Short mmCIF file of all heavy atoms in Angstrom, two decimals:
data_model
loop_
_atom_site.label_atom_id
_atom_site.label_comp_id
_atom_site.label_asym_id
_atom_site.label_seq_id
_atom_site.Cartn_x
_atom_site.Cartn_y
_atom_site.Cartn_z
N THR A 257 99.81 -95.42 -126.42
CA THR A 257 99.12 -95.85 -127.65
C THR A 257 99.17 -94.83 -128.74
O THR A 257 99.09 -93.68 -128.45
CB THR A 257 97.63 -96.31 -127.36
OG1 THR A 257 97.70 -97.40 -126.43
CG2 THR A 257 96.93 -96.72 -128.63
N GLU A 258 99.21 -95.22 -129.99
CA GLU A 258 99.28 -94.31 -131.05
C GLU A 258 98.20 -94.63 -132.15
O GLU A 258 98.07 -95.88 -132.57
CB GLU A 258 100.64 -94.28 -131.83
CG GLU A 258 100.73 -93.34 -132.91
CD GLU A 258 102.15 -93.22 -133.44
OE1 GLU A 258 103.15 -93.62 -132.74
OE2 GLU A 258 102.36 -92.80 -134.65
N ILE A 259 97.42 -93.69 -132.55
CA ILE A 259 96.33 -93.81 -133.53
C ILE A 259 96.84 -93.27 -134.79
O ILE A 259 97.16 -91.96 -134.83
CB ILE A 259 94.98 -93.25 -133.07
CG1 ILE A 259 94.72 -93.62 -131.69
CG2 ILE A 259 93.92 -93.59 -134.04
CD1 ILE A 259 94.65 -95.11 -131.45
N GLY A 260 97.05 -93.97 -135.90
CA GLY A 260 97.56 -93.44 -137.12
C GLY A 260 96.77 -92.43 -137.86
O GLY A 260 95.51 -92.34 -137.56
N LYS A 261 97.27 -91.88 -138.81
CA LYS A 261 96.61 -90.81 -139.49
C LYS A 261 95.38 -91.43 -140.26
O LYS A 261 95.48 -92.44 -140.89
CB LYS A 261 97.56 -90.28 -140.71
CG LYS A 261 98.68 -89.38 -140.17
CD LYS A 261 99.56 -88.86 -141.34
CE LYS A 261 100.67 -88.02 -140.85
NZ LYS A 261 101.52 -87.49 -141.93
N GLY A 262 94.26 -90.71 -140.16
CA GLY A 262 92.99 -91.12 -140.82
C GLY A 262 92.47 -92.40 -140.21
O GLY A 262 91.36 -92.82 -140.78
N ALA A 263 92.91 -92.91 -139.20
CA ALA A 263 92.31 -94.09 -138.57
C ALA A 263 91.08 -93.67 -137.87
O ALA A 263 90.85 -92.64 -137.37
CB ALA A 263 93.43 -94.75 -137.64
N ARG A 264 90.30 -94.77 -137.59
CA ARG A 264 89.03 -94.62 -136.85
C ARG A 264 89.03 -95.66 -135.71
O ARG A 264 89.10 -96.89 -135.94
CB ARG A 264 87.89 -94.67 -137.70
CG ARG A 264 86.57 -94.56 -136.89
CD ARG A 264 85.28 -94.44 -137.73
NE ARG A 264 84.21 -94.14 -136.95
CZ ARG A 264 83.72 -92.90 -136.74
NH1 ARG A 264 84.35 -91.92 -137.27
NH2 ARG A 264 82.60 -92.62 -135.95
N VAL A 265 88.80 -95.23 -134.44
CA VAL A 265 88.64 -96.02 -133.36
C VAL A 265 87.31 -95.85 -132.62
O VAL A 265 86.95 -94.69 -132.21
CB VAL A 265 89.73 -95.88 -132.33
CG1 VAL A 265 89.52 -96.68 -131.09
CG2 VAL A 265 91.17 -96.17 -132.97
N GLY A 266 86.41 -96.84 -132.70
CA GLY A 266 85.06 -96.73 -131.99
C GLY A 266 84.12 -96.14 -133.02
O GLY A 266 84.35 -95.72 -134.18
N GLU A 267 82.86 -96.17 -132.51
CA GLU A 267 81.64 -95.65 -133.17
C GLU A 267 80.81 -94.80 -132.28
O GLU A 267 81.02 -94.86 -131.09
CB GLU A 267 80.83 -96.76 -133.76
CG GLU A 267 81.70 -97.77 -134.61
CD GLU A 267 80.88 -99.05 -135.05
OE1 GLU A 267 79.60 -98.93 -134.94
OE2 GLU A 267 81.52 -100.01 -135.36
N PRO A 268 79.97 -93.95 -132.80
CA PRO A 268 79.17 -93.15 -131.99
C PRO A 268 78.33 -94.03 -130.90
O PRO A 268 78.04 -95.12 -131.13
CB PRO A 268 78.18 -92.54 -132.97
CG PRO A 268 78.84 -92.45 -134.21
CD PRO A 268 79.68 -93.72 -134.24
N ARG A 269 78.27 -93.32 -129.83
CA ARG A 269 77.67 -94.14 -128.66
C ARG A 269 76.24 -94.57 -128.97
O ARG A 269 75.78 -95.67 -128.60
CB ARG A 269 77.51 -93.21 -127.43
CG ARG A 269 77.15 -93.93 -126.17
CD ARG A 269 77.16 -92.94 -125.00
NE ARG A 269 76.59 -93.61 -123.75
CZ ARG A 269 76.23 -92.85 -122.65
NH1 ARG A 269 76.38 -91.60 -122.62
NH2 ARG A 269 75.90 -93.57 -121.60
N ALA A 270 75.54 -93.70 -129.77
CA ALA A 270 74.06 -94.13 -130.17
C ALA A 270 74.08 -95.30 -131.05
O ALA A 270 72.97 -95.85 -131.14
CB ALA A 270 73.55 -92.94 -130.92
N ALA A 271 75.10 -95.71 -131.67
CA ALA A 271 75.11 -96.86 -132.49
C ALA A 271 74.89 -98.16 -131.65
O ALA A 271 74.49 -99.17 -132.23
CB ALA A 271 76.38 -97.08 -133.27
N GLY A 272 75.11 -98.15 -130.36
CA GLY A 272 74.95 -99.21 -129.47
C GLY A 272 75.91 -100.40 -129.64
O GLY A 272 75.52 -101.56 -129.17
N HIS A 273 77.01 -100.26 -130.25
CA HIS A 273 77.97 -101.39 -130.42
C HIS A 273 78.91 -101.46 -129.24
O HIS A 273 79.75 -102.45 -129.24
CB HIS A 273 78.71 -101.14 -131.69
CG HIS A 273 77.85 -101.29 -132.88
ND1 HIS A 273 78.09 -100.62 -134.09
CD2 HIS A 273 76.66 -101.92 -133.06
CE1 HIS A 273 77.14 -100.89 -134.93
NE2 HIS A 273 76.29 -101.75 -134.31
N GLY A 274 78.93 -100.52 -128.31
CA GLY A 274 79.83 -100.65 -127.05
C GLY A 274 80.96 -99.86 -127.26
O GLY A 274 81.24 -99.28 -128.25
N ILE A 275 81.78 -99.92 -126.18
CA ILE A 275 82.97 -99.15 -126.08
C ILE A 275 84.17 -99.80 -126.78
O ILE A 275 84.45 -101.02 -126.41
CB ILE A 275 83.32 -98.88 -124.60
CG1 ILE A 275 82.17 -98.14 -123.91
CG2 ILE A 275 84.63 -98.10 -124.43
CD1 ILE A 275 82.30 -98.01 -122.45
N ALA A 276 84.87 -99.16 -127.56
CA ALA A 276 86.17 -99.75 -127.99
C ALA A 276 87.29 -99.59 -127.13
O ALA A 276 87.35 -98.50 -126.35
CB ALA A 276 86.48 -98.96 -129.37
N VAL A 277 88.07 -100.57 -126.92
CA VAL A 277 89.14 -100.56 -125.94
C VAL A 277 90.45 -100.90 -126.57
O VAL A 277 90.57 -101.93 -127.20
CB VAL A 277 88.84 -101.48 -124.73
CG1 VAL A 277 89.93 -101.48 -123.76
CG2 VAL A 277 87.49 -101.15 -124.14
N LEU A 278 91.51 -100.11 -126.32
CA LEU A 278 92.90 -100.39 -126.85
C LEU A 278 93.78 -100.52 -125.54
O LEU A 278 93.81 -99.56 -124.70
CB LEU A 278 93.40 -99.26 -127.72
CG LEU A 278 92.54 -99.02 -129.01
CD1 LEU A 278 93.20 -98.01 -129.84
CD2 LEU A 278 92.45 -100.28 -129.82
N GLY A 279 94.49 -101.63 -125.51
CA GLY A 279 95.41 -101.78 -124.35
C GLY A 279 96.67 -100.93 -124.52
O GLY A 279 96.90 -100.31 -125.59
N THR A 280 97.52 -101.07 -123.53
CA THR A 280 98.73 -100.12 -123.55
C THR A 280 99.67 -100.68 -124.68
O THR A 280 99.85 -101.82 -124.96
CB THR A 280 99.43 -100.23 -122.25
OG1 THR A 280 100.63 -99.42 -122.19
CG2 THR A 280 100.02 -101.79 -121.95
N GLY A 281 100.29 -99.59 -125.37
CA GLY A 281 101.30 -99.82 -126.35
C GLY A 281 100.67 -100.22 -127.76
O GLY A 281 101.54 -100.52 -128.64
N VAL A 282 99.48 -100.18 -127.93
CA VAL A 282 98.87 -100.57 -129.23
C VAL A 282 99.11 -99.52 -130.24
O VAL A 282 99.14 -98.35 -129.96
CB VAL A 282 97.32 -100.73 -129.13
CG1 VAL A 282 96.66 -100.90 -130.52
CG2 VAL A 282 97.01 -102.01 -128.29
N ARG A 283 99.52 -99.96 -131.53
CA ARG A 283 99.64 -99.08 -132.62
C ARG A 283 98.61 -99.27 -133.63
O ARG A 283 98.51 -100.46 -134.21
CB ARG A 283 101.10 -99.29 -133.20
CG ARG A 283 102.21 -98.98 -132.28
CD ARG A 283 102.25 -97.58 -132.04
NE ARG A 283 103.40 -97.23 -131.08
CZ ARG A 283 103.32 -96.98 -129.78
NH1 ARG A 283 102.09 -97.16 -129.22
NH2 ARG A 283 104.34 -96.68 -129.04
N VAL A 284 97.80 -98.36 -133.98
CA VAL A 284 96.74 -98.50 -134.91
C VAL A 284 97.23 -97.77 -136.31
O VAL A 284 97.59 -96.67 -136.30
CB VAL A 284 95.40 -97.81 -134.50
CG1 VAL A 284 94.43 -97.85 -135.60
CG2 VAL A 284 94.87 -98.44 -133.26
N ALA A 285 97.26 -98.66 -137.28
CA ALA A 285 97.90 -98.15 -138.62
C ALA A 285 97.10 -97.12 -139.26
O ALA A 285 95.95 -96.82 -138.90
CB ALA A 285 98.02 -99.33 -139.60
N GLU A 286 97.62 -96.33 -140.15
CA GLU A 286 97.05 -95.23 -140.89
C GLU A 286 95.74 -95.95 -141.61
O GLU A 286 95.79 -97.05 -142.28
CB GLU A 286 97.95 -94.68 -141.96
CG GLU A 286 99.06 -93.87 -141.45
CD GLU A 286 99.86 -93.20 -142.48
OE1 GLU A 286 99.33 -93.10 -143.68
OE2 GLU A 286 100.93 -92.71 -142.25
N ASN A 287 94.58 -95.07 -141.51
CA ASN A 287 93.36 -95.46 -142.02
C ASN A 287 92.78 -96.81 -141.65
O ASN A 287 91.89 -97.28 -142.26
CB ASN A 287 93.57 -95.43 -143.61
CG ASN A 287 93.94 -94.17 -144.23
OD1 ASN A 287 93.48 -93.07 -143.78
ND2 ASN A 287 95.01 -94.18 -145.00
N ALA A 288 93.30 -97.38 -140.55
CA ALA A 288 92.80 -98.67 -139.97
C ALA A 288 91.49 -98.36 -139.25
O ALA A 288 91.22 -97.15 -138.97
CB ALA A 288 93.76 -99.33 -139.20
N VAL A 289 90.67 -99.35 -138.94
CA VAL A 289 89.37 -99.19 -138.31
C VAL A 289 89.34 -100.17 -137.22
O VAL A 289 89.63 -101.44 -137.32
CB VAL A 289 88.20 -99.40 -139.28
CG1 VAL A 289 86.93 -99.40 -138.49
CG2 VAL A 289 88.16 -98.34 -140.41
N VAL A 290 88.99 -99.62 -136.00
CA VAL A 290 88.77 -100.40 -134.83
C VAL A 290 87.29 -100.22 -134.55
O VAL A 290 86.91 -99.19 -134.14
CB VAL A 290 89.66 -100.16 -133.59
CG1 VAL A 290 89.25 -101.00 -132.45
CG2 VAL A 290 91.17 -100.26 -133.96
#
């Protein structure tokens, strides 16, 4: 998996929103947010 420049995946654990999950082969674009 590749996380693009400036992208954000997930949030602090304390936020309580749960675990972000990316499957195999996912491409996260530059500055994108998961």
